[in-house]
Amino acid sequence: MAKTNGKNWLRAKGSAAGSKVTFLELFFDLVFVFSISQLSHALAAHYTPLGAAEAALMTFAVWWVWIFTAWVTNWLDPDKMPVRGMLVALMMLGLLLSASIPEAFGDKGLLFAGAYVAMQVGRSLFTTYAMTRVDRANTLNFVRITTWLVVAAVFWIAGGLLEHEARLIAWVIALAIEYIGPAAGFAVPGLGRSKPSDWDVSGAHMAERCALFVIICLGEAILVSGRTFSELPVSGLTGIVFVTGFIGTVAMWWLYFRFGHGRAAHRIEHEATPGALARLAFTYGHIPILAGIIVHAVAVEFMFSHPHETGDLGIAAAVLGGSGLFLIGNLWFKGATSGQLPLSHLAGLVLLILLAFAAPFLEIYLLGILATLVLIVVAAWEYRSLSGASPAPTLH
């Protein structure tokens, strides 16, 4: 039987099919619906400085394993059977990773670390093999990437074997290694570093993949509102909180999709070095967007459970921080892909900072209403300032 050529595993670049998001990729994302749910519940259940640090680290890890897979499927064709097998294996490992999140800093630390390392290193090795004899530049790129991931894996596994603060420190080191990697061009002695021109990506594919992940996160915020509302007695206050949470989520959707997603895809498609821009706008720029939506979901839960609380700066930080992080992420994302920072988003951040001074004197549900109003004002301002511009191109 003839050996399958690695070339047969790659997408056909330059065609509509070459940038199409496949059903298997959507199926793969279902695992991360569970991940986002686990992360928001973990943060709400352990809402302390240490708990927030742990939740942040796991959020960074979940995003990293997902975005690395999105990059890989920009080249590999999920309709090819070997690639399908790889993605299904990643789904199973991702399910183990997600299931271990609540106890990742407890009894399931090694399970979390092992699943994460298997996903990162296994996928990278598979891609290196798929690129062999087909694309020498990207073969070397994935050898470099694998080297960095293996070094980080030592700290992931060591952290899984350690306990308490020692585990957190080891995992922070591991995550730092992985996050520095792309910015450093995955430099490896003897192999050099990757060049921006090597990363020829499909802007349409990357934009759609990240947009789908944003939808997953927004869906979790909707689920939190609906689930919590269904468990509480019907009252005017719970109704107000429910509507506030829903409108805040809709405002986030509007801010991201109305003027950000389509323009970013078009810009990257026509960029001389699309990989460098994709790395800045998607790989790094979407992190505060993801974090903002997760914190927003937690804030809605707090608005239901502590509506009349005043003076709790931690809860107030969640209520304002969700909107703030989301605006920072969009500011980064839109600034990177348009070349200018949207004034509306800067004004929104200023308003949230001013609200922070009033937060100790406001009941939580009122603070939540005001934070949502800030998002509405920003969305309306951006719509008014850009509605006369040509619509974002649609890529097929």
Side-chain angles (χ1 to χ4, degrees):
M1 186 173 181
K3 183 177 179 180
T4 303
N5 192 309
K7 186 175 183 179
N8 294 331
W9 301 357
L10 304 184
R11 288 178 180 266
K13 289 290 184 181
S15 65
S19 61
K20 179 184 177 183
V21 174
T22 64
F23 289 123
L24 181 57
E25 289 174 277
L26 300 178
F27 189 39
F28 173 80
D29 288 350
L30 290 179
V31 170
F32 290 87
V33 175
F34 184 35
S35 296
I36 299 303
S37 177
Q38 292 281 73
L39 287 168
S40 64
H41 293 326
L43 178 57
H46 304 284
Y47 194 68
T48 63
L50 179 59
E54 293 173 351
L57 184 144
M58 290 187 288
T59 299
F60 282 125
V62 166
W63 168 253
W64 213 236
V65 77
W66 183 89
I67 192 64
F68 265 46
T69 305
W71 274 86
V72 161
T73 53
N74 201 276
W75 287 289
L76 302 184
D77 187 352
D79 286 333
K80 299 298 167 48
M81 192 57 67
V83 182
R84 285 186 176 185
M86 184 268 291
L87 287 175
V88 170
L90 289 179
M91 286 180 67
M92 184 187 69
L93 291 168
L95 195 59
L96 291 174
L97 179 81
S98 303
S100 64
I101 284 174
E103 291 296 324
F105 286 89
D107 295 335
K108 295 181 179 178
L110 191 56
L111 177 61
F112 180 90
Y116 181 87
V117 166
M119 293 180 78
Q120 291 288 75
V121 176
R123 182 197 54 245
S124 188
L125 286 172
F126 178 92
T127 309
T128 303
Y129 176 76
M131 293 290 184
T132 303
R133 300 186 308 277
V134 178
D135 187 335
R136 176 170 172 77
N138 269 325
T139 299
L140 288 176
N141 278 341
F142 280 97
V143 170
R144 297 183 188 105
I145 291 170
T146 303
T147 302
W148 278 70
L149 294 178
V150 168
V151 173
V154 174
F155 292 94
W156 282 113
I157 298 302
L161 296 171
L162 298 171
E163 295 182 355
H164 308 303
E165 287 78 8
R167 176 175 297 174
L168 180 60
I169 292 171
W171 284 359
V172 166
I173 294 172
L175 207 57
I177 292 170
E178 294 196 21
Y179 269 74
I180 292 170
F186 296 104
V188 174
L191 295 179
R193 57 182 293 159
S194 300
K195 295 178 291 185
S197 58
D198 294 335
W199 298 93
D200 182 20
V201 298
S202 165
H205 182 267
M206 287 298 296
E208 188 173 357
R209 293 299 291 124
C210 289
L212 290 170
F213 200 87
V214 171
I215 287 289
I216 288 173
C217 298
L218 292 172
E220 170 59 16
I222 294 288
L223 288 174
V224 168
S225 295
R227 182 182 60 248
T228 310
F229 181 69
S230 70
E231 296 170 352
L232 294 173
V234 177
S235 69
L237 182 58
T238 56
I240 290 172
V241 171
F242 174 75
V243 171
T244 299
F246 176 75
I247 292 176
T249 305
V250 172
M252 288 179 166
W253 171 84
W254 180 273
L255 283 166
Y256 181 84
F257 286 95
R258 182 62 181 90
F259 291 109
H261 161 259
R263 293 182 186 279
H266 184 263
R267 169 73 185 278
I268 292 173
E269 284 290 319
H270 296 83
E271 185 75 7
T273 55
L277 182 57
R279 183 184 67 198
L280 178 63
F282 293 113
T283 302
Y284 292 118
H286 273 61
I287 297 169
I289 293 175
L290 164 65
I293 299 172
I294 292 175
V295 174
H296 168 70
V298 173
V300 172
E301 197 165 336
F302 288 156
M303 287 164 60
F304 275 115
S305 59
H306 306 283
H308 297 295
E309 187 83 35
T310 57
D312 191 322
L313 297 182
I315 295 178
V319 174
L320 297 177
S323 299
L325 284 168
F326 186 80
L327 287 178
I328 289 170
N330 274 272
L331 192 69
W332 183 342
F333 174 51
K334 294 175 183 179
T337 54
S338 70
Q340 56 185 6
L341 299 177
L343 183 60
S344 57
H345 292 49
L346 291 170
L349 289 171
V350 171
L351 290 175
L352 289 173
I353 291 171
L354 293 176
L355 277 178
F357 289 101
F361 313 102
L362 294 173
E363 294 183 348
I364 290 301
Y365 85 96
L366 289 174
L367 190 63
I369 291 173
L370 292 173
T372 298
L373 284 175
V374 169
L375 293 178
I376 294 171
V377 168
V378 172
W381 183 342
E382 183 178 45
Y383 177 75
R384 183 177 179 82
S385 62
L386 297 178
S387 57
S390 58
T394 302
L395 297 176
H396 299 286

